[in-house]
């Protein structure tokens, strides 16, 4: 693999796993994220790994070579490398690239949260086992849902359900505004979110920045 100048941090991985109701155990500078087969449905599924363990490491980093051998050991297992530029990484020996995701980051105090929600709408947060659920209702009926997990000075968030139609963007902004406020109140300085590449530009326009790329590989 060619050399790369910067190594993205991966301390957000356990919180990201919590959003998917998955475990995350440290291993040799990286993480082993548990099976996603039982993770919740919804829009967040686009950024999830379907089934099998996921071995996550920053690249370049000391865990990369060790974890690169892991996917050969189990059906559905993946190696996910978090890097600054996708083009800088070739496929590890014996592995094929199967997906690319984008890690976004936004300061909670600077995120553009101005939003006009429909009348008779309400935003509520409810603690779950591994995350807080965020829901927007209109006339007491659920219209949009998200998840947040706050850890130390950052929080991981995900949008799990949005309505179709012209008000979709407003509901999404409403969820992100509520989650940014919740994170800020708990002392978290940053939000982290993993999305598909084709929607990253839309988030960048509203105050998010690309903090890294998640490249996933499986056995050839």
């Amino acid at each position: 693999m060619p050399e790369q100048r910067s190594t993205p941090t991966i301390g957000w991985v356990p919180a990201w796993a919590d959003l998917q109701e998955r475990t995350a155990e440290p291993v040799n500078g990286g993480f082993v994220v548990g099976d996603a087969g039982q993770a919740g449905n919804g829009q967040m599924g686009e950024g999830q790994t379907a089934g099998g363990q996921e071995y996550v490491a920053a690249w370049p980093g000391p865990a990369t070579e060790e974890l690169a051998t892991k996917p050969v050991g189990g059906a559905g297992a993946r190696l996910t490398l978090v890097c600054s530029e996708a083009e800088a990484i070739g496929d590890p020996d014996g592995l094929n690239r199967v997906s690319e995701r984008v890690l976004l980051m936004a300061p909670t105090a600077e995120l553009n949260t101005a939003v006009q929600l429909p009348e008779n709408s309400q935003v509520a947060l409810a603690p779950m086992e591994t995350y807080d659920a965020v829901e927007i209702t209109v006339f007491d009926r659920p219209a949009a849902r998200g998840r947040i997990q706050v850890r130390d000075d950052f929080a991981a968030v995900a949008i799990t359900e949005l309505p179709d139609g012209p008000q979709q963007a407003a509901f999404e902004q409403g969820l992100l505004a509520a989650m940014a406020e919740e994170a800020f109140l708990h002392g978290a300085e940053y939000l982290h979110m993993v999305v598909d590449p084709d929607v990253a530009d839309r988030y960048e326009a509203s105050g998010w920045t690309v903090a890294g790329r998640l490249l996933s590989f499986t056995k050839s």
Side-chain angles (χ1 to χ4, degrees):
M1 295 182 184
E3 230 176 279
Q4 190 176 344
R5 292 183 179 180
S6 61
T7 303
T9 60
I10 58 172
W12 49 270
V13 169
W16 174 62
D18 282 342
L19 296 181
Q20 303 167 68
E21 302 176 82
R22 301 166 69 188
T23 59
E25 300 295 334
V27 54
N28 297 329
F31 293 95
V32 178
V33 180
D35 192 331
Q38 301 302 316
N41 295 323
Q43 185 171 339
M44 188 171 61
E46 297 175 0
Q48 291 179 350
T49 299
Q53 289 185 317
E54 186 171 6
Y55 299 84
V56 183
W59 189 85
T64 303
E65 295 303 324
E66 169 69 18
L67 293 179
T69 65
K70 298 293 185 180
V72 301
R78 294 191 180 198
L79 167 68
T80 294
L81 301 179
V82 184
C83 61
S84 295
E85 296 292 337
E87 294 77 10
I89 296 183
D91 292 1
D93 291 342
L95 300 177
N96 288 329
R97 186 180 302 188
V98 292
S99 71
E100 177 180 344
R101 291 162 284 176
V102 178
L103 173 64
L104 299 175
M105 184 174 70
T108 55
E110 299 177 18
L111 190 64
N112 179 14
T113 56
V115 58
Q116 184 65 45
L117 290 172
E119 292 184 8
N120 300 303
S121 63
Q122 293 184 328
V123 182
L125 280 80
M128 307 299 284
E129 187 173 350
T130 62
Y131 57 86
D132 285 349
V134 186
E135 183 178 77
I136 300 177
T137 60
V138 180
F139 293 108
D140 295 327
R141 294 184 177 180
R145 291 187 173 99
R147 297 177 180 182
I148 179 172
Q149 170 62 280
V150 180
R151 290 194 177 213
D152 300 325
D153 60 347
F154 67 89
V157 301
I159 304 296
T160 58
E161 184 177 332
L162 288 172
D164 295 326
Q167 292 184 318
Q168 184 182 86
F171 281 112
E172 183 176 52
Q173 286 181 313
L175 288 173
L176 292 173
M179 292 190 284
E181 181 179 5
E182 177 74 2
F184 182 79
L185 291 175
H186 283 81
E189 298 181 10
Y190 295 96
L191 298 180
H192 290 77
M193 181 165 58
V194 176
V195 301
D196 285 345
D198 58 353
V199 300
D201 289 347
R202 174 164 57 84
Y203 287 106
E204 286 187 87
S206 61
W208 295 79
T209 58
V210 174
R213 304 273 175 170
L214 283 72
L215 305 182
S216 293
F217 305 86
T218 60
K219 184 179 177 182
S220 301

